[in-house]
């Protein structure tokens, strides 16, 4: 009962992009005896999942809301995880970066924040990431997902971008172990483009990315 | 034979012309036209850019030419020292002038843009365009709104952080400087004979921020940017949607031309504008890479059917990706030339 009220108050604050209010709700709950584990698994994640559902049902959220939701949720998660009794189990690991010759970071930042708050481990490789680095980092960190963000058509379609990552995975026989997800403006403007660049999946925003990546990870575990 | 300017003026006045005006925005493609391999070389010379613009307009027969090289030029005027050039796509800002809040206090806005050393080649380009097609084909210029300019100076994610979570006085100091730059940039372009100024403000779109935010915070900054008047100004949100915002912009700022998002409903946009200005129907030009010629014809026809009734309408593209095949550019233009006859 108490938790339901917390979820409602927290979700409302996130929806209103009111970061101070969201933290106030969380800190009040902690003061009343809710554990950090409960905050993450019974408040933050369900609230994120409610947003995923709302968006898939065509709720018209704008970018400022996506940004604030991802920032608030990932900050709350970071703060709570630091207080966990035992270190948490993650559901999977993702290496993320902006594609070769692309320097745009906002999309990647939003996606990363949403993933972190869903307890997916994110390793951020930064901008202008070569295909070799994507693959090497995925192997080094034992990540099952390579996530590539592109803001422009030429960096999405480049022979040195996603296509080259696919080529490397194929050559090294890694296609069963590592999946590729792409996103960014060119993919939202051309929803078939992810197939052209031979990615496994794409998502139109950070919150949906959380769901698509969870599904990919679960699919691989089967 | 009517010129592009005749068509534009007719569309503004709601009078008849041979066909609707067509704004086809080809930038990087100019290099190919001149047989240059390197976009870097192309953008080092105002003569090249002007020649590229003139050649492409003549070859394809559309109605406008551009003085814009690439959007990152504005950052260079404000101190950016490195632009990343690609062989097959637009140049991007690589060095961000603002790395800390102190850099915001230090940011200086040049008071004379026209004679700024970074502007030399654009100035040459504009002079050539003016000499060659001035008065006959509208010369377009591009100006980033105060609210969007910080994206080029500090990166979009740091700007979001400052805008929505940072200290208000630092945010407002930056916005005030960016607005001053925007006003001076508009004044410089006007003085040099630019006819149409595309005023780019993604933060004027409901895809970015909620309508109440645009009304309360966005519009006051837009008013300041445009305090010298809205003559020749085109409202454009970088391709993001803004149908829901048009009414507020018309009543509070009075801009008369709306360059819709490809995702906005053209007929609905036109209905909101309701004769008070010009509507530009804009094609999703990213799809022009893979669409067949027949798909392109169908899409263009659909757009014209939605927008042409009652006049005051033009057809436009966003910034056409380099990869669009020439035959698809032709398929798009031929369809507008055929079905866009008024
Ligand atoms: C805001 C904007 C600008 C601003 C700020 C740009 C910046 N960040 O520096 C300004 C006005 C300055 C600008 C300039 C330019 N722009 Co611009 N811009 C836009 C606009 C309107 C939104 C882009 C944006 O920042 N969105 C916000 C972010 C968060 O969204 P996002 O990256 O799409 O990310 C979301 C999803 O895609 C997804 N996602 C993102 N990454 C990933 C990764 C994974 C793995 C997953 C699953 C999901 C995912 O989740 C995110 C959160 O919801 C788009 C059009 C549009 N409506 O999309 C054009 C657009 C991106 N711009 C474009 C271009 C060409 C440019 C310029 C290169 C123009 C030029 N010739 O100079 C310049 C470059 C400036 C520079 N950096 O040097 C084109 C790119 C397409 C193309 N032709 O290649 C677009 C698509 C417009 C168009 N249709 O022509 N631009």
């Amino acid at each position: 009962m108490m938790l339901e009220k917390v979820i409602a108050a927290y979700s409302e604050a996130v929806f209103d992009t009111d970061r101070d209010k969201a933290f106030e709700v969380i800190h009040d709950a902690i003061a009343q005896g809710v554990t950090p584990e409960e905050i993450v698994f019974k408040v933050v994640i369900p609230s994120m999942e409610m947003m995923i559902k709302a968006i898939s049902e065509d709720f018209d959220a704008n970018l400022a809301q996506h940004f604030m939701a991802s920032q608030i949720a990932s900050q709350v998660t970071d703060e709570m995880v630091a207080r966990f009794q035992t270190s948490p189990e993650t559901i999977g690991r993702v290496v993320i970066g902006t594609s070769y010759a692309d320097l745009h970071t906002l999309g990647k930042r939003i996606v990363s924040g949403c993933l972190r708050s869903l307890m997916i481990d994110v390793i951020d490789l930064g901008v202008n990431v070569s295909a070799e680095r994507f693959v090497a980092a995925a192997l080094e960190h034992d990540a099952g997902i390579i996530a590539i963000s592109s803001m422009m058509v030429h960096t999405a379609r480049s022979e040195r971008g996603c296509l080259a990552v696919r080529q490397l995975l194929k050559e090294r026989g890694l296609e069963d172990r590592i999946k590729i997800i792409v996103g960014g403006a060119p993919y939202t403007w051309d929803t078939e483009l992810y197939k052209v660049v031979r990615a496994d999946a794409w998502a139109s925003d950070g919150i949906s990315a959380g769901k698509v990546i969870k599904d990919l990870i679960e699919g691989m575990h089967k | 034979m009517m010129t592009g300017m005749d068509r534009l003026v007719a569309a503004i006045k709601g009078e008849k012309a041979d066909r609707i005006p067509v704004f086809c925005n080809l930038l990087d493609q100019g290099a190919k036209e001149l047989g240059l391999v390197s976009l870097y070389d192309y953008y080092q010379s105002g003569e090249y850019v002007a020649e590229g613009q003139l050649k492409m307009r003549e070859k394809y027969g559309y109605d406008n030419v551009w003085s814009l090289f690439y959007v990152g030029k504005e950052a260079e005027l404000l101190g950016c020292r490195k632009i990343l050039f690609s062989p097959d796509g637009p140049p991007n800002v690589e060095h961000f002038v603002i790395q800390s809040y102190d850099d915001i206090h230090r940011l200086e806005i040049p008071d004379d843009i026209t004679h700024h050393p970074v502007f030399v080649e654009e100035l040459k380009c504009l002079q050539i365009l003016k000499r060659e097609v001035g008065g006959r084909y509208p010369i377009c210029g591009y100006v980033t709104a105060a609210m969007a300019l910080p994206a080029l100076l500090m990166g979009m994610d740091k700007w979001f952080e400052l805008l929505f979570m940072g200290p208000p006085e630092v945010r407002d100091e930056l916005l005030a400087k960016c607005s001053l730059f925007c006003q001076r940039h508009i004044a410089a372009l006007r003085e040099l004979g630019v006819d149409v100024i595309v005023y780019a403000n993604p933060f004027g779109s409901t895809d970015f921020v909620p309508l109440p935010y645009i009304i309360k915070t966005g519009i006051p900054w837009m008013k300041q940017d445009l305090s010298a008047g809205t003559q020749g100004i085109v409202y454009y949100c970088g391709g993001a949607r803004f149908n829901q915002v048009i009414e507020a912009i018309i009543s509070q700022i009075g801009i008369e031309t709306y360059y819709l998002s490809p995702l906005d409903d053209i007929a609905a946009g036109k209905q909101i504008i309701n004769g008070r200005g010009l509507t530009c129907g804009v094609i999703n030009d990213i799809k022009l890479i893979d669409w067949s010629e027949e798909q392109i014809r169908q899409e263009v026809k659909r757009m014209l059917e939605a927008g042409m009734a009652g006049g005051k309408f033009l057809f436009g593209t966003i910034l056409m990706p380099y990869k669009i095949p020439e035959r698809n550019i032709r398929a798009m233009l031929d369809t507008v030339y055929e079905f866009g006859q008024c």
Side-chain angles (χ1 to χ4, degrees):
Chain A
M1 187 57 218
M2 159 87 192
L3 276 175
E4 269 163 34
K5 275 197 189 138
V6 179
I7 296 179
Y10 168 81
S11 298
E12 194 185 318
V14 171
F15 182 78
D16 290 341
T17 70
D18 189 341
R19 178 161 160 267
D20 295 344
K21 178 81 191 160
F23 270 93
E24 194 186 305
V25 171
I26 297 300
H27 290 153
D28 283 354
I30 293 274
Q32 289 179 41
V34 180
T35 66
E37 284 84 350
E38 283 174 319
I39 296 285
V40 171
F41 293 107
K42 298 196 172 146
V43 179
V44 177
I45 292 181
S47 157
M48 216 17 128
E49 278 164 354
M50 268 160 54
M51 281 192 73
I52 291 173
K53 190 157 175 287
I55 283 177
S56 70
E57 282 161 10
D58 206 30
F59 165 75
D60 229 1
N62 57 61
L63 188 61
Q65 279 167 332
H66 279 279
F67 175 75
M68 289 305 284
S70 74
Q71 297 311 293
I72 296 168
S74 60
Q75 283 168 13
V76 169
T77 306
D78 283 349
E79 191 186 315
M80 294 301 125
V81 168
R83 300 194 203 176
F84 275 19
Q85 296 287 337
T86 53
S87 58
E89 289 249 339
T90 65
I91 64 165
R93 191 165 294 142
V94 173
V95 292
I96 193 167
T98 306
S99 58
Y100 177 74
D102 202 313
L103 305 166
H104 298 88
T105 50
L106 180 61
K108 170 168 72 66
R109 176 165 171 175
I110 295 176
V111 174
S112 302
C114 294
L115 295 179
R116 288 204 175 94
S117 63
L118 291 167
M119 297 303 284
I120 297 172
D121 241 5
V122 183
I123 288 137
D124 189 341
L125 305 177
V127 297
N128 193 7
V129 180
S130 69
E132 291 75 14
R133 251 192 87 213
F134 270 119
V135 176
L139 287 173
E140 184 194 335
H141 298 282
D142 194 22
I145 307 276
I146 293 176
I148 311 173
S149 179
S150 307
M151 198 187 88
M152 290 166 302
V153 167
H154 72 286
T155 57
R157 299 178 84 115
S158 164
E159 297 286 337
R160 303 176 71 173
C162 184
L163 285 168
V165 175
R166 168 60 67 208
Q167 188 61 30
L168 287 175
L169 293 184
K170 197 168 171 203
E171 280 166 16
R172 299 184 193 168
L174 294 168
E175 286 179 297
D176 292 335
R177 257 173 74 193
I178 301 174
K179 299 288 170 200
I180 310 173
I181 180 166
V182 290
Y187 300 101
T188 48
W189 288 94
D190 179 355
T191 54
E192 297 296 304
L193 181 59
Y194 81 100
K195 293 181 199 156
V196 177
V197 303
R198 302 175 61 209
D200 293 297
W202 81 287
S204 64
D205 58 77
I207 294 172
S208 323
K211 174 163 168 42
V212 175
I213 288 178
K214 252 177 110 171
D215 291 351
L216 272 183
I217 293 172
E218 281 159 10
M220 283 194 290
H221 287 173
K222 271 185 197 141
Chain B
M1 194 19 211
M2 288 196 101
T3 64
M5 192 62 99
D6 295 335
R7 293 184 186 109
L8 183 63
V9 170
I12 292 171
K13 292 187 178 155
E15 289 169 359
K16 283 224 169 300
D18 56 348
R19 61 163 169 80
I20 59 167
V22 180
F23 279 27
C24 179
N25 305 324
L26 297 166
L27 300 182
D28 307 332
Q29 289 83 350
K32 217 184 304 178
E33 221 48 54
L34 302 191
L36 293 173
V37 192
S38 149
L39 276 172
Y40 175 83
D41 290 344
Y42 179 64
Y43 285 124
Q44 297 319 300
S45 154
E47 278 105 352
Y48 281 162
V49 175
E51 200 187 331
Q53 283 296 316
L54 294 168
K55 274 196 152 160
M56 290 190 292
R57 203 220 57 76
E58 247 171 57
K59 170 172 158 182
Y60 291 114
Y62 53 79
D63 294 315
N64 64 320
V65 291
W66 274 97
S67 69
L68 169 71
F69 288 30
Y70 48 86
V71 175
K73 271 267 169 211
E74 287 179 270
E76 288 181 281
L77 280 164
L78 290 166
C80 160
R81 290 190 307 271
K82 188 153 199 286
I83 296 285
L84 178 68
F85 285 87
S86 290
D88 55 358
N92 274 194
V93 172
E94 182 161 2
H95 161 242
F96 289 124
V97 176
I98 299 172
Q99 304 280 345
S100 70
Y101 290 167
D102 277 342
D103 293 334
I104 293 176
H105 308 317
R106 279 194 287 265
L107 183 68
E108 275 181 42
I109 306 305
D111 43 32
D112 185 358
I113 292 178
T114 318
H115 299 100
H116 195 289
V118 170
F119 200 74
V120 173
E121 297 303 321
E122 268 177 283
L123 180 63
K124 273 190 212 155
C125 171
L126 259 168
Q127 286 165 340
I128 297 170
L129 293 177
K130 196 81 208 155
R131 188 184 72 216
E132 296 297 322
V133 294
R136 292 191 298 130
Y137 290 93
I139 300 172
C140 299
Y142 182 99
V143 172
T144 305
M147 217 166 226
L149 188 57
L152 293 170
L153 305 178
M154 61 198 301
M156 193 69 159
D157 81 298
K158 290 281 178 292
W159 171 229
F160 260 64
E161 196 177 301
L162 173 58
L163 182 61
F164 296 117
M165 303 192 279
E169 64 292 351
V170 179
R171 174 198 69 203
D172 290 346
E173 182 183 343
L174 179 56
L175 280 168
K177 287 186 177 181
C178 287
S179 182
L180 183 62
F181 178 76
C182 180
Q183 292 164 51
R184 287 181 180 163
H185 192 186
I186 291 174
L189 293 182
R190 280 188 174 137
E191 186 194 313
L192 295 169
V194 166
D195 304 292
V196 170
I197 294 179
V198 173
Y199 173 68
N201 187 11
F203 290 84
S205 156
T206 43
D207 286 340
F208 268 63
V209 287
L211 184 58
Y213 181 91
I214 297 176
I215 290 174
K216 185 161 165 273
T217 311
I219 288 183
W221 285 109
M222 294 188 222
K223 278 188 178 159
Q224 195 160 318
D225 291 349
L226 302 174
S227 51
T230 56
Q231 174 67 30
I233 296 287
V234 176
Y235 192 81
Y236 168 66
C237 296
R241 291 174 294 181
F242 61 78
N243 263 357
Q244 291 173 52
V245 187
I246 294 172
E247 188 57 53
I249 302 294
I250 293 183
S251 61
Q252 294 196 44
I253 310 182
I255 294 176
E256 287 178 348
T257 307
Y258 293 86
Y259 212 85
L260 300 183
S261 163
L263 299 176
D264 274 317
D265 180 326
I266 294 175
K270 232 190 129 171
Q271 203 167 20
I272 300 166
I273 295 168
N274 193 17
R276 292 173 292 176
L278 204 54
T279 308
C280 185
V282 179
I283 194 162
N284 177 3
D285 51 23
I286 287 177
K287 294 290 280 183
L288 292 178
I289 300 173
D290 291 324
W291 267 337
S292 68
E293 286 158 82
E294 188 45 39
Q295 280 172 310
I296 295 170
R297 277 177 76 81
Q298 291 307 324
E299 174 60 4
V300 173
K301 275 161 74 178
R302 182 195 68 78
M303 293 170 61
L304 297 180
E305 271 161 28
M308 274 183 57
K312 295 200 174 188
F313 184 69
L314 70 151
F315 180 91
T317 70
I318 306 193
L319 291 172
M320 301 269 275
Y322 199 71
K323 245 194 147 66
I324 302 174
E326 207 174 298
R327 60 165 195 284
N328 286 0
I329 301 178
R330 292 226 187 255
M332 175 187 80
L333 291 171
D334 288 345
T335 314
V336 196
Y337 298 158
E338 186 181 340
F339 294 92
Q341 293 171 16
C342 323

